[in-house]
Amino acid sequence: MRHLQTVGARLALALLLVVAGVLAFVYLIVTPSLEDRLIGSRQSQAAAIAEEVAARWPSITPAYTPTNLADSYAAATNTRVRIFRVDSQSPLSLSAIADEGGGPSAQSTDQDPVARQAATSLDSERGVVTLGDRRFAEAAQPFTAKDGTYVFLVSSSIEDSLGSVDLVKHRLFISALFALAAALLLGYAGARLFARRIRRLEQAAERIASGRFDEPIVDTSPDELGQLARAFERMRQRLAGLEYARREFIANASHELRTPLFSLGGHLELLVDEDLDDDTRREFLGRMREQVDRLTKLAGELLDLSRLDAGRLRVDRDPVDLAQVTELLLEEFHALARGTGHELARDGVDGNPTGLGDQQRILQVGRALVENALKHTPAGTQVLVSASRNEDRVALSVEDDGPGISETASVHVFERFYRGDTGGRASGSGLGLAIAHELAVAMQGEIELSSEPGRTVFTFWLPAASGTSSPAIE
Ligand SMILES: Nc1ncnc2c1ncn2[C@@H]1O[C@H](COP(=O)(O)OP(=O)(O)OP(=O)(O)O)[C@@H](O)[C@H]1O
Ligand SMILES: [Mg+2]
């Protein structure tokens, strides 16, 4: 029973049933009708002869007897021709007055059913009569003359025709056996071939399910199974990529967490030493505060990333005035810029820069860009923040005249944990731009980078809120 559950067995069985059905149809419908047609054609021939004999009956003379008439037709058509006189007194009886062509062993047939039928109905009749072990197609034609009624009966043996039908049946039966065996074999072999490919895909799926993405799935055939295998292979590659990214992320995140924790632990040990003077103690506390800030920032960033990955980060789509966002950024970073020796300024507002997005998230992106411009450029660098509108998009731009980002580094700056060479300046965890980029995308915007030595511009594009643009404010 288990064998019947395989695709191979089912396919072979289906093929077998179809072939058997076709053969049964041929055997049960076609061969009987072939037999009927052959008998019918013999009867028609016999009927035509009987009619002719009846038509010649008036030419009977003492010299040309009924026997002569019957004999001439029997010999010419290779049939048995009988002529009966009908005695219509009841009960109706027939007496043969001529019987030719039947051979010496011909049985007496005064009781022939077809002739009796014709004598009764006085109309031409046809039928099949079995005499001994032979069968005959018969046709009877009645004729009413002045001196009484006659019936002309022509019988033609159908043994040879039936013999041909039997031969056809026999050969059909033998070919049917061959066809069924071939169908079974072909169906099973074909299905086994498919089953093997399906099993390979099943094994590949099992491997992937158990977390092994190393073995490629190869099936170059253009059929549906080949297409399925290629879809599996694309899935394998994508999952392998995701798995790699996941492992790298965990490794990077734990490394990033460990560094400030080590530093905190070290400083705590030192603080336990009671011989420390107040200044050193304060300095250590200051450094510890920095590390706590770093850890807090990192925890926030990791939380944002996990929400972005899980698709659980909700962003609103409200009209947000980017001019107002630049103001807030300038206020927020004013003190820090002064501390790092940067010149932070607004570079004008162009058009009506009201975009669609989430105010808090837009501010978060702006903060990441301004913070980078202050953190990754040397003191004395000018940092300009501006807002503008370009047809159906609005932009928040942060520009600095620092050393710029090399072409190789600019390919990677939006990747998670990527940190460029900041020339010894303070460096974060490399998550700021990655999060900013994903937030921009979540708000249906993007961040563009254009950098050359002496000029770096990060432009954060957002869809504009509907409403016409107005002339520049400033
Ligand atoms: N304005 C800039 N000028 C020069 N280099 C920059 C500038 N902005 C970013 N970078 C480079 O891009 C890298 C990635 O920036 P990103 O904000 O993602 O990380 P980070 O600032 O190092 O850390 P985090 O933002 O997580 O504290 C930085 O390490 C820096 O090398
Ligand atoms: Mg940063």
Side-chain angles (χ1 to χ4, degrees):
M1 211 53 210
R2 252 195 88 240
H3 277 302
L4 269 184
Q5 284 172 356
T6 65
V7 180
R10 284 181 188 174
L11 249 166
L13 201 68
L15 210 61
L16 193 79
L17 284 178
V18 171
V19 174
V22 171
L23 289 171
F25 176 78
V26 171
Y27 204 80
L28 296 176
I29 312 276
V30 178
T31 49
S33 83
L34 182 70
E35 202 172 296
D36 287 350
R37 282 176 69 103
L38 282 170
I39 293 175
S41 116
R42 280 302 174 88
Q43 284 174 335
S44 300
Q45 273 174 2
I49 297 165
E51 246 175 75
E52 268 189 57
V53 176
R56 291 283 303 276
W57 181 249
S59 60
I60 289 294
T61 59
Y64 188 65
T65 62
T67 306
N68 295 141
L69 175 65
D71 184 46
S72 66
Y73 275 94
T77 57
N78 193 26
T79 53
R80 182 179 182 188
V81 178
R82 278 167 283 175
I83 301 171
F84 297 98
R85 179 194 285 279
V86 181
D87 180 1
S88 44
Q89 249 124 60
S90 98
L92 183 126
S93 73
L94 300 176
S95 51
I97 54 171
D99 183 350
E100 297 302 321
S105 62
Q107 296 170 6
S108 161
T109 54
D110 283 355
Q111 296 309 311
D112 186 278
V114 181
R116 286 188 73 79
Q117 239 175 320
T120 315
S121 67
L122 290 181
D123 203 354
S124 54
E125 297 289 345
R126 297 170 177 202
V128 175
V129 172
T130 309
L131 287 178
D133 55 352
R134 300 186 68 195
R135 295 211 292 163
F136 295 87
E138 287 192 349
Q141 179 71 38
F143 182 82
T144 310
K146 275 187 235 125
D147 59 343
T149 303
Y150 298 89
V151 170
F152 305 94
L153 179 70
V154 177
S155 315
S156 171
S157 168
I158 49 174
E159 284 310 308
D160 52 343
S161 306
L162 292 183
S164 313
V165 173
D166 281 347
L167 191 72
V168 169
K169 275 186 179 171
H170 181 72
R171 299 226 167 127
L172 207 61
F173 183 72
I174 301 287
S175 352
L177 286 184
F178 274 112
L180 287 178
L184 199 68
L185 223 80
L186 272 178
Y188 201 71
R192 263 188 81 93
L193 208 78
F194 277 109
R196 199 171 323 137
R197 289 170 63 199
I198 294 173
R199 202 157 308 123
R200 273 214 302 269
L201 280 181
E202 186 192 337
Q203 284 163 356
E206 293 287 352
R207 271 201 312 277
I208 290 173
S210 66
R212 281 166 43 221
F213 307 111
D214 47 347
E215 206 172 309
I217 304 156
V218 189
D219 189 333
T220 49
S221 152
D223 62 9
E224 285 88 341
L225 274 182
Q227 285 171 16
L228 183 65
R230 282 188 285 285
F232 259 63
E233 174 60 10
R234 283 195 294 278
M235 179 182 80
R236 181 195 71 84
Q237 285 174 2
R238 175 120 182 80
L239 286 175
L242 286 175
E243 176 64 9
Y244 176 76
R246 188 183 69 88
R247 282 170 199 259
E248 208 181 23
F249 180 83
I250 292 174
N252 281 325
S254 20
H255 177 79
E256 288 304 318
L257 285 168
R258 231 178 25 208
T259 317
L261 282 174
F262 267 145
S263 168
L264 273 175
H267 282 101
L268 263 178
E269 296 240 331
L270 291 171
L271 276 178
V272 175
D273 183 355
E274 288 175 6
D275 295 343
L276 287 180
D277 58 72
D278 273 358
D279 282 349
T280 321
R281 198 180 288 267
R282 217 169 292 125
E283 189 196 325
F284 281 0
L285 282 173
R287 287 207 198 134
M288 285 173 75
R289 195 188 170 82
E290 267 172 29
Q291 296 305 328
V292 169
D293 286 347
R294 191 172 160 185
L295 271 177
T296 312
K297 182 166 176 260
L298 183 66
E301 287 176 334
L302 289 176
L303 195 66
D304 278 349
L305 276 179
S306 78
R307 282 192 186 138
L308 279 163
D309 283 346
R312 279 197 297 115
L313 193 98
R314 227 179 66 83
V315 283
D316 293 332
R317 259 173 87 72
D318 298 326
V320 178
D321 183 5
L322 294 191
Q324 204 185 340
V325 172
T326 57
E327 289 299 332
L328 289 171
L329 287 173
L330 288 179
E331 267 173 40
E332 206 173 302
F333 284 94
H334 174 73
L336 180 71
R338 190 173 312 159
T340 55
H342 286 77
E343 188 190 324
L344 178 64
R346 195 174 66 169
D347 189 25
V349 173
D350 200 4
N352 172 18
T354 306
L356 275 183
D358 186 311
Q359 169 134 23
Q360 286 313 311
R361 295 301 178 183
I362 294 174
L363 259 171
Q364 187 178 349
V365 174
R367 272 187 209 116
L369 300 181
V370 176
E371 189 189 274
N372 278 353
L374 297 176
K375 214 162 72 174
H376 303 303
T377 58
T381 303
Q382 190 183 41
V383 178
L384 297 175
V385 187
S386 64
S388 62
R389 176 172 185 137
N390 183 354
E391 293 179 3
D392 53 354
R393 295 204 300 172
V394 291
L396 176 72
S397 305
V398 178
E399 178 180 343
D400 68 67
D401 57 1
I405 302 173
S406 73
E407 215 167 299
T408 16
S410 63
V411 181
H412 301 291
V413 286
F414 294 107
E415 287 170 11
R416 295 177 180 189
F417 297 106
Y418 175 80
R419 280 174 299 207
D421 176 15
T422 48
R425 284 177 292 278
S427 177
S429 49
L431 288 175
L433 281 179
I435 293 174
H437 164 75
E438 290 189 33
L439 283 176
V441 171
M443 288 186 278
Q444 290 164 19
E446 59 174 330
I447 300 179
E448 249 172 39
L449 163 63
S450 120
S451 182
E452 58 192 72
R455 186 170 182 270
T456 298
V457 190
F458 279 94
T459 313
F460 169 27
W461 291 103
L462 270 179
S466 51
T468 49
S469 49
S470 58
I473 324 168
E474 218 342 348

